[in-house]
Amino acid sequence: MRIPQIAFGLMSLGLFSAVASAQGGVDASAPYKNPSLSVEQRVADLLPRMTLEEKVSMLSGSGWMESTGVPRLGIPEIKMADGPMGIRLWTGSSAVTSVEGQVHSFSSTAFPAGIDVAASWDPALAREEGQAIGQEVASVGRDMILGPTVNIQRTPLWGRNFESYGEDPFLSGKLAVGYIQGVQGEGVIPSVKHFVVNNEEFERHRIDVEVSERALHEIYFPAFEAAIKDGHVWVVMSSYNKVNGVYAAESPLLKQELYQALGFKGFVISDWGSTYSTAGTVNAGMALEMPGGPPMRRWLAAPGPKEAGNDGGYLASEKVLPLVKDGTIPVANVDENVGRILTVLFESGQFDHPHVGGVAIDTAAQRAVARKIADEGIVLLKNDGAVLPLKPSKLHSIAVIGPSAATARIGGGGSGLVFAKGVVSPLEGIKQRAGGVQVRYALGVAMQGEEGSSDTAEARKKLLDEAVAAAKASDVALVFVGYSWKLETEGHDRPNMDLPAGQDELIQAVAAVNKKTIVVFNAGDSVGVMKWIDRVPGLVDAWYGGEEGGNAIADVLFGDDNPSGKLPFTFLRKLEDSPSYGNYPGVNLHVKYAEGIYVGYRYFDKHTETTPLFPFGYGLSYTSFALSKLEVPKTITGETTATVRVTVKNTGDRKGAEVVQMYLGDPGASVDRPVRELKGFERVELEAGESRTVSFAIDRRALSFYSTEHHAWMAEPGKFEVYVGTSSRELPLQGSFTLVK
Ligand code: BGC
């Protein structure tokens, strides 16, 4: 964006006739106030009207969740809310701080975790979610939601895996685009985060990530690229960490990758306290430092624990202005950054129609979206002897056991946690659905870190005995385990993949007395199940299902909904199998992504000596599907796009959805490439007996790798393999085509 030049152009067109002096009031007919002019024209008109002080004031926030406006010119502040799985509580103008101890005046819909959306493999549903969240944000008079989170799952231990869309960049990108379009369609500003390689919480303010140019382009950038190129996202949030030695908020990647390579027209916002310099940050193109103003100053001055290196406060006017005056920060850089913020204010409609609030929050329609996501995302991992679905007509009693049965685990912890009214626990959902079937409840073991009666050995034994007795007396035992928002959270990684204290023992004790034991768990990534998986016939991954999670679990357990979710990551047997193992969390605040592009299934398909417990894309169903009639073109020439077609049929006796997945391989490539990579998918809902033909478009980019020799994407002529199936390891249909120069 070359704003000053455009401004001169407009002046010569006479559009500047209404320009008032920079200090004076502004004529109501000033061109920038005219919505029928283009955004570029409006920015070009407005920017020269601003004093340097006004422009610099816009580079940092005025509060904890507010940017700085310029009332003299009618420039509004941007009022934000966390994000991404609904609106995190906030009070008043600047009070969105911590989860605990805050009074909050409304409750918003708690949507399921991002990983739940990812498991639905349904971008249209992500769009519905974005739309519902956008409506809620506008309803409470806010303008921006801090999401979606698109950082890739590199290690199963990352504390924010639950917020993300999994391990695959293509899937993450498609879902991010859906969410962004939904939010932006409501005139609300999303903020895709965190750019970039924020894949662990360990020392997130100080860790330096060493990552190759190729891995950045093939694994860590693409979801941001999709957000920008396909979603036309308005804001990108930079991350806390360093990337190859430079903090993300002052990295040359902002200009090189976002602005130049991807043509991003919006602005980059910092993460909260992710700035570590003044001139370096402004000159790098980081437009808005958050938080700012008095809350930031108070917070910095307050005694008490802060994450090491959590600085911020660098873009306050008193710090920036002297550096502009002495030329360390060129005025053109200030103009560019402010111009980007103005661009978003105009583009989003916020300048012309500020959000004034309303009442459409936590409505039945919004709750219905939350339930749909929770339903679609649940993944059935094991179902021996068709132990599921439960058939009330054949059951007398069900034991509902575990620390996550009566307490709904709606989300992981941190800025993404939403507090909602009317939260439905699995126990409530099941009781409501069970009809005449007797439901026996037992806690079994208290959640680690939560109040419970597990303080003494006797109390723990009593709880366990009660659970065993309930399981013994019932036809089926459902055990609800997993993490709480305190144990899987932003700010900390999980120490290992183990379930919280006492949960393995609970499952084993229950399974010993009831052959029909089904384990349902809440987590954002792989958990250790090897100690007992062979002893239970049923295993269900319920993620963090938001406020409707308990109903969704009942829907799936009783077969009102067919489980159709698919794993958006590779489920590990043990931590040591992770491709990042040995290179996590790093040494001396330095972590090397030594696995390069071999993240997730890309690694396991290459190193076949290590087998995942459940592969990427995997998930069972109560019905069955057959794929047939794969049509693959013989050749693809030059820039042409080709289409692969396949027919999917529901061969079972009930309605359900299958996620048809297409992977491509380039065995003859001149560089080392993954065996296959996801390049197309579609979630298809079919009645029993129904079939449909699914088409996947293949463009040149789908065939390309990122060449570090040419610093560009390259597709090499030759033979490409096409694999179509229902997981990265269940690929019954295969074909090939030749790319001709
Ligand atoms: C998180 C962001 C969040 C921000 C504001 C940060 O600590 O990393 O994702 O949006 O806080 O709460």
Side-chain angles (χ1 to χ4, degrees):
M1 237 183 329
R2 302 205 318 276
I3 285 143
Q5 284 85 339
I6 300 170
F8 286 127
L10 291 175
M11 269 195 237
S12 62
L13 283 172
L15 279 170
F16 265 59
S17 54
V19 173
S21 82
Q23 300 296 341
V26 177
D27 186 336
S29 65
Y32 76 87
K33 296 194 170 172
N34 179 359
S36 63
L37 291 184
S38 73
V39 168
E40 274 165 355
Q41 286 173 320
R42 298 178 78 183
V43 172
D45 176 52
L46 177 52
L47 205 53
R49 296 172 186 270
M50 300 175 72
T51 64
L52 180 65
E53 286 71 17
E54 284 169 342
K55 288 189 276 197
V56 166
S57 76
M58 288 188 68
L59 300 180
S60 63
S62 63
W64 194 263
M65 281 278 158
E66 293 78 26
S67 73
T68 303
V70 180
R72 180 181 75 84
L73 294 162
I75 302 173
E77 57 180 15
I78 303 173
K79 299 185 286 315
M80 309 168 194
D82 263 313
M85 288 139 316
I87 309 174
R88 182 163 69 128
L89 66 97
W90 60 274
T91 50
S93 58
S94 288
V96 191
T97 49
S98 68
V99 163
E100 282 167 317
Q102 293 286 330
V103 184
H104 54 292
S105 51
F106 70 89
S107 81
S108 57
T109 309
F111 291 87
I115 197 67
D116 208 328
V117 179
S120 77
W121 292 58
D122 190 348
L125 186 55
R127 190 184 175 125
E128 281 184 54
E129 182 197 22
Q131 184 182 31
I133 290 174
Q135 288 164 354
E136 294 202 332
V137 171
S139 290
V140 295
R142 308 303 282 184
D143 314 303
M144 179 163 168
I145 184 86
L146 303 176
T149 301
V150 299
N151 297 103
I152 294 294
Q153 290 190 348
R154 171 180 181 259
T155 162
L157 303 184
W158 183 35
R160 299 181 86 167
N161 277 333
F162 69 89
E163 264 183 61
S164 80
Y165 291 140
E167 72 183 24
D168 182 74
F170 183 79
L171 176 62
S172 301
K174 293 283 182 211
L175 296 164
V177 169
Y179 182 102
I180 288 162
Q181 288 175 338
V183 172
Q184 292 191 171
E186 298 300 309
V188 167
I189 306 166
S191 166
V192 64
K193 65 193 189 180
H194 311 80
F195 189 79
V196 66
V197 288
N198 179 185
N199 312 100
E200 57 187 62
E201 292 301 277
F202 176 80
E203 287 280 6
R204 64 180 179 164
H205 282 272
R206 300 197 296 168
I207 196 85
D208 181 8
V209 177
E210 182 185 338
V211 54
S212 71
E213 182 186 356
R214 186 158 172 217
L216 278 174
H217 284 83
E218 294 193 14
I219 305 294
Y220 300 102
F221 287 160
F224 291 97
E225 178 177 356
I228 291 168
K229 285 186 165 167
D230 303 334
H232 307 289
V233 73
W234 293 327
V235 175
V236 174
M237 185 190 290
S238 65
S239 57
Y240 286 119
N241 51 284
K242 290 181 181 170
V243 189
N244 293 325
V246 186
Y247 276 114
E250 54 194 85
S251 167
L253 290 173
L254 303 187
K255 284 193 174 164
Q256 277 165 22
E257 186 59 26
L258 297 180
Y259 301 160
Q260 281 148 26
L262 302 180
F264 178 51
K265 295 279 187 281
F267 70 85
V268 176
I269 189 172
S270 75
D271 199 342
W272 268 233
S274 79
T275 47
Y276 308 88
S277 72
T278 302
T281 303
V282 177
N283 289 338
M286 213 297 299
L288 174 57
E289 179 191 59
M290 289 298 293
M296 181 63 177
R297 291 193 183 95
R298 272 201 305 276
W299 182 77
L300 281 176
K306 295 190 183 65
E307 283 178 71
N310 191 350
D311 289 0
Y314 287 98
L315 267 51
S317 291
E318 62 267 31
K319 292 199 179 155
V320 177
L321 275 171
L323 296 178
V324 178
K325 287 184 177 147
D326 76 11
T328 314
I329 299 176
V331 176
N333 288 355
V334 174
D335 284 355
E336 157 111 22
N337 294 356
V338 173
R340 287 177 174 277
I341 300 173
L342 297 176
T343 297
V344 172
L345 285 171
F346 288 125
E347 187 78 47
S348 64
Q350 203 201 314
F351 188 91
D352 305 310
H353 313 286
H355 298 117
V356 289
V359 287
I361 189 156
D362 206 12
T363 63
Q366 289 154 351
R367 286 185 75 98
V369 175
R371 182 161 176 173
K372 194 169 166 198
I373 298 169
D375 272 332
E376 282 196 17
I378 290 174
V379 179
L380 180 61
L381 292 171
K382 185 172 181 189
N383 193 19
D384 285 0
V387 66
L388 289 172
L390 303 175
K391 296 175 196 71
S393 58
K394 297 195 177 146
L395 289 175
H396 298 293
S397 55
I398 305 173
V400 177
I401 294 169
S404 301
T407 303
R409 306 293 170 188
I410 61 174
S415 51
L417 186 58
V418 178
F419 280 84
K421 280 201 298 255
V423 169
V424 181
S425 71
L427 180 60
E428 287 161 332
I430 289 165
K431 274 189 173 162
Q432 221 171 53
R433 175 61 181 78
V437 179
Q438 185 186 359
V439 176
R440 294 191 178 88
Y441 166 70
L443 177 63
V445 63
M447 176 64 78
Q448 187 181 316
E450 280 178 10
E451 292 281 308
S453 25
S454 307
D455 311 340
T456 62
E458 294 73 47
R460 284 197 292 274
K461 182 166 182 315
K462 186 167 172 282
L463 285 181
L464 194 60
D465 288 349
E466 283 165 7
V468 168
K472 216 174 191 168
S474 305
D475 298 329
V476 172
L478 304 173
V479 189
F480 291 87
V481 294
Y483 299 86
S484 68
W485 64 261
K486 288 183 183 161
L487 298 176
E488 184 160 13
T489 178
E490 177 184 335
H492 300 280
D493 292 331
R494 283 191 286 156
N496 50 50
M497 273 170 41
D498 296 347
L499 284 172
Q503 297 187 5
D504 284 332
E505 292 75 9
L506 174 66
I507 295 165
Q508 284 163 333
V510 169
V513 297
N514 192 318
K515 281 205 201 88
K516 293 194 172 173
T517 294
I518 295 147
V519 175
V520 183
F521 65 99
N522 304 109
D525 205 311
S526 304
V527 301
V529 299
M530 299 312 290
K531 284 184 192 153
W532 43 259
I533 189 164
D534 290 338
R535 301 189 212 170
V536 301
L539 183 62
V540 178
D541 197 338
W543 316 111
Y544 295 98
E547 65 187 42
E548 285 286 337
N551 281 331
I553 285 168
D555 289 341
V556 167
L557 293 179
F558 286 95
D560 301 334
D561 259 312
N562 179 62
S564 305
K566 303 280 177 173
L567 287 176
F569 57 81
T570 307
F571 202 106
L572 308 181
R573 288 170 192 274
K574 55 184 189 308
L575 183 58
E576 291 78 356
D577 293 345
S578 165
S580 65
Y581 191 74
N583 290 293
Y584 163 85
V587 177
N588 295 332
L589 301 175
H590 180 267
V591 58
K592 184 171 179 177
Y593 285 13
E595 72 286 352
I597 57 171
Y598 291 100
V599 173
Y601 66 88
R602 289 167 170 79
Y603 172 88
F604 291 95
D605 288 346
K606 195 174 170 67
H607 301 274
T608 45
E609 67 281 5
T610 316
T611 50
L613 180 59
F614 302 111
F616 174 79
Y618 170 89
L620 300 171
S621 180
Y622 297 151
T623 182
S624 54
F625 297 89
L627 299 178
S628 63
K629 299 191 204 138
L630 177 66
E631 290 174 36
V632 177
K634 281 206 166 48
T635 54
I636 298 186
T637 317
E639 294 299 323
T640 10
T641 306
T643 305
V644 164
R645 282 195 187 81
V646 63
T647 300
V648 52
K649 180 171 186 187
N650 182 343
T651 51
D653 58 5
R654 61 166 70 219
K655 181 179 159 186
E658 180 57 284
V659 178
V660 185
Q661 304 163 36
M662 179 190 72
Y663 297 79
L664 298 180
D666 181 10
S670 65
V671 298
D672 193 26
R673 293 195 71 177
V675 178
R676 62 185 80 91
E677 296 179 275
L678 182 74
K679 296 294 174 186
F681 64 89
E682 191 164 333
R683 186 180 184 282
V684 191
E685 184 135 354
L686 297 171
E687 297 292 338
E690 196 189 350
S691 48
R692 191 164 321 149
T693 299
V694 176
S695 312
F696 300 113
I698 301 179
D699 58 12
R700 211 171 164 83
R701 173 62 184 273
L703 308 176
S704 303
F705 61 89
Y706 185 82
S707 161
T708 45
E709 191 187 330
H710 299 96
H711 307 291
W713 289 94
M714 287 187 55
E716 290 177 335
K719 189 179 169 203
F720 284 79
E721 307 282 358
V722 181
Y723 306 84
V724 176
T726 53
S727 86
S728 64
R729 289 286 170 97
E730 186 65 41
L731 297 163
L733 300 182
Q734 300 186 9
S736 63
F737 60 82
T738 304
L739 175 67
V740 185
K741 210 166 191 167

